[in-house]
Amino acid sequence: MTSSAVLPDAIRADVETLWDYHDMHHAMQSADVGIGLGSHDLGVATYAADLYRQGIFPLIVFTGANAPTTINEFPRGEAVHYREHAMERGVPAEVILIETKATNTGQNIEHTRELLATEKIKVRSVVLISRPYQQRRAYATCKKLWPEIEVTCASLPMSLNDYLTNIGDSSRVVNMLVGDTQRITEYAKRGFAIEQPFPADVRSAYDRLVRAGYTSRLI
């Protein structure tokens, strides 16, 4: 495995298969709220700000405390740093709410729903903004925990190569991709998310990457 931004040729096809699988390919549409899911990827906040400026939604909620992968980068919490980044990109402070306790995607959804209810904000539709390879898991989790809501998934438009360059660590990205792929089936089994299609080519790509040693993010 490599720690650079260069993806080894031997695994490229399998990584591309998983990358495409996690993209829900949703057409963007207007919504009541944009929800930026906390992670190590500041591109979430960038795209939330872009979509706000395009008029896709009038309100943003950033949700996230910290994980071991983000504590050094975002020492005051993911949601706090996301909010600051969005404000630097021209989003008014008064249209951003933050939820600072969530440490996983389920809590992102549950705590955000509670925050909006507390603020007496009626929500029928949301845009979930996440890392590119978190879209499918975010969708499946939201539909389990908030089934009545209309969900559109979105990520900063970026090719796999550009994303690898942006993050700067291909091994980290592949490990996260493999981990999120496992969670699609495992979380459905555990009742954390709704079931999702899991095509044979995705299963085969996942299995080969696990055998290649990309296992650090497996449950």
Side-chain angles (χ1 to χ4, degrees), residues 59-206:
L59 178 71
I60 299 172
V61 178
F62 288 125
T63 166
N66 273 123
T69 56
T70 65
I71 187 66
N72 291 328
E73 190 169 1
F74 303 135
R76 287 173 289 115
E78 297 155 2
V80 172
H81 285 267
Y82 276 18
R83 179 179 184 270
E84 293 170 352
H85 184 70
M87 289 171 61
E88 290 171 359
R89 296 182 67 85
V91 180
E94 60 268 23
V95 304
I96 305 174
L97 299 176
I98 59 171
E99 183 291 303
T100 60
K101 296 181 180 179
T103 59
N104 58 54
T105 305
Q107 290 179 6
N108 288 144
I109 301 302
E110 290 178 329
H111 294 346
T112 295
R113 185 178 186 178
E114 292 166 0
L115 173 62
L116 291 168
T118 299
E119 296 291 331
K120 302 187 185 311
I121 297 169
K122 293 183 178 180
V123 181
R124 297 175 302 276
S125 58
V126 301
V127 176
L128 290 182
I129 305 121
S130 69
R131 298 164 294 177
Y133 51 86
Q134 190 186 6
Q135 282 192 29
R136 186 171 293 275
R137 180 162 62 86
Y139 175 82
T141 304
C142 189
K143 294 305 288 184
K144 179 69 177 186
L145 299 175
W146 205 353
E148 70 274 18
I149 211 76
E150 183 178 355
V151 181
T152 301
C153 292
S155 300
L156 186 65
M158 189 177 293
S159 69
L160 173 59
N161 282 343
D162 287 345
Y163 191 78
L164 291 166
T165 299
N166 184 59
I167 298 300
D169 186 340
S170 67
S171 181
R172 180 182 188 182
V173 172
V174 177
N175 275 297
M176 298 290 278
L177 256 174
V178 170
D180 267 46
T181 303
Q182 181 199 38
R183 284 162 175 77
I184 294 299
T185 56
E186 287 301 313
Y187 282 4
K189 292 176 184 176
R190 300 180 188 195
F192 300 157
I194 65 169
E195 291 186 3
Q196 290 287 285
F198 203 70
D201 63 330
V202 174
R203 168 63 72 180
S204 296
Y206 165 80

